[in-house]
Amino acid sequence: SGQMVKYRFIMFHYMAVTGKRTWYIATVILGKEFVYRKLEWNDESISALIDSEEYFWNNHVLTKTIPSPDGSDACDEIIAEYFKKARKSSSIKLVGFDDKLNRRENILRQISKLQEEQKKIEQEIKLYMQDNEYAYSNDFNISWCNVDSVRLDTKRIKAEQPSIYSKYAKASHCRRFEVKEVANNGNKLNQTA
C-alpha cells in the first residue's frame, strides 16, 4: 500500500543511519491482527535515498529555500506558516504566471463539470432509492442515512446575548487566496511594494 511505501523509506533511512542490514516493522490491525514485515538492506534504494536527503539538506535546509510546490497539503501548510500575514495594501506584479493561471481556470471549469456530473449520478441514485436507507449493486454499497445534528445559531446569540457570545467567540486568522480574471487589462491592482 501507499502507507507501506512511506514506511519503507523511513526504515531505509534508519538502516542508513544505524548501518543495520535488517529492519522490522510491526503493527496491530484494528486491535485484532498482529502483522510484521522484515526489510533487508537494498544498496540501490538506500543510495538513492541518501542522494535525495543530501540534495534536500544542501539545497533547501542549509540555504533556507522552500522546495518547489508539489500540490500537497503539507506544502499548503508550510506556505501558510511561512507567510502568515500579508503586508497591508502591498502588491507585486506577477511575471510568467498567465499561462498557469489560465490552466488553473481551465481546471476549475473541468472540476465544475465533473462535480455536476457526480451530483447528477448521485441524484439519479437517490431518486431510485426513494426512502430506502441502503442500496447495493454488484460493485457498490450505498447508504443514504438520516443524520441529526445540533448547531448553535451564532447570529442570534450575538444579537441576544452579546456578552456570552464575546466570552466564547474565538478569533482566527488566515489568508484567503482568490484569483479574478481582469477584463481587457482593466481593474488591475495598484502596484505598491
Side-chain angles (χ1 to χ4, degrees), residues 31-191:
K32 295 180 181 179
E33 182 185 359
F34 176 76
V35 177
Y36 74 94
R37 297 288 182 264
K38 177 181 176 181
L39 186 65
E40 299 284 346
W41 185 278
N42 180 304
D43 284 329
E44 187 179 325
S45 295
I46 290 176
S47 178
L49 180 63
I50 290 170
D51 289 346
S52 294
E53 289 176 342
E54 284 178 352
Y55 177 87
F56 186 83
W57 183 261
N58 292 326
N59 293 286
H60 298 291
V61 176
L62 294 179
T63 63
K64 297 181 180 177
T65 304
I66 298 174
S68 296
D70 61 7
S72 68
D73 290 339
C75 186
D76 273 341
E77 291 169 14
I78 289 168
I79 291 171
E81 182 65 28
Y82 269 77
F83 307 105
K84 286 181 187 176
K85 199 163 185 146
R87 288 179 287 121
K88 199 72 175 159
S89 301
S90 62
S91 67
I92 185 172
K93 180 170 175 57
L94 283 176
V95 178
F97 282 94
D98 282 344
D99 287 344
K100 287 183 180 184
L101 287 166
N102 283 319
R103 172 70 180 137
R104 179 184 178 277
E105 291 300 309
N106 187 29
I107 289 169
L108 289 173
R109 281 190 292 277
Q110 290 176 26
I111 288 171
S112 178
K113 284 181 184 177
L114 289 171
Q115 286 175 331
E116 194 174 298
E117 182 180 351
Q118 174 192 351
K119 269 188 169 184
K120 181 179 181 277
I121 291 168
E122 291 170 358
Q123 291 164 351
E124 289 171 358
I125 292 167
K126 289 175 182 177
L127 191 58
Y128 188 87
M129 288 176 71
Q130 297 180 3
D131 59 356
N132 290 289
E133 196 168 23
Y134 301 100
Y136 58 90
S137 69
N138 290 337
D139 298 327
F140 298 95
N141 290 323
I142 292 119
S143 64
W144 186 23
C145 300
N146 301 319
V147 177
D148 297 320
S149 62
V150 176
R151 294 193 176 102
L152 292 175
D153 183 345
T154 54
K155 286 184 181 178
R156 185 172 166 204
I157 293 171
K158 188 175 183 179
E160 295 177 14
Q161 301 287 334
S163 63
I164 291 174
Y165 176 83
S166 63
K167 183 177 177 182
Y168 291 99
K170 185 178 178 183
S172 65
H173 170 79
C174 69
R175 291 181 69 183
R176 181 173 294 136
F177 183 79
E178 293 182 24
V179 176
K180 294 180 182 174
E181 193 168 3
V182 178
N184 299 325
N185 294 328
N187 299 328
K188 289 188 179 176
L189 290 172
N190 290 336
Q191 306 199 348

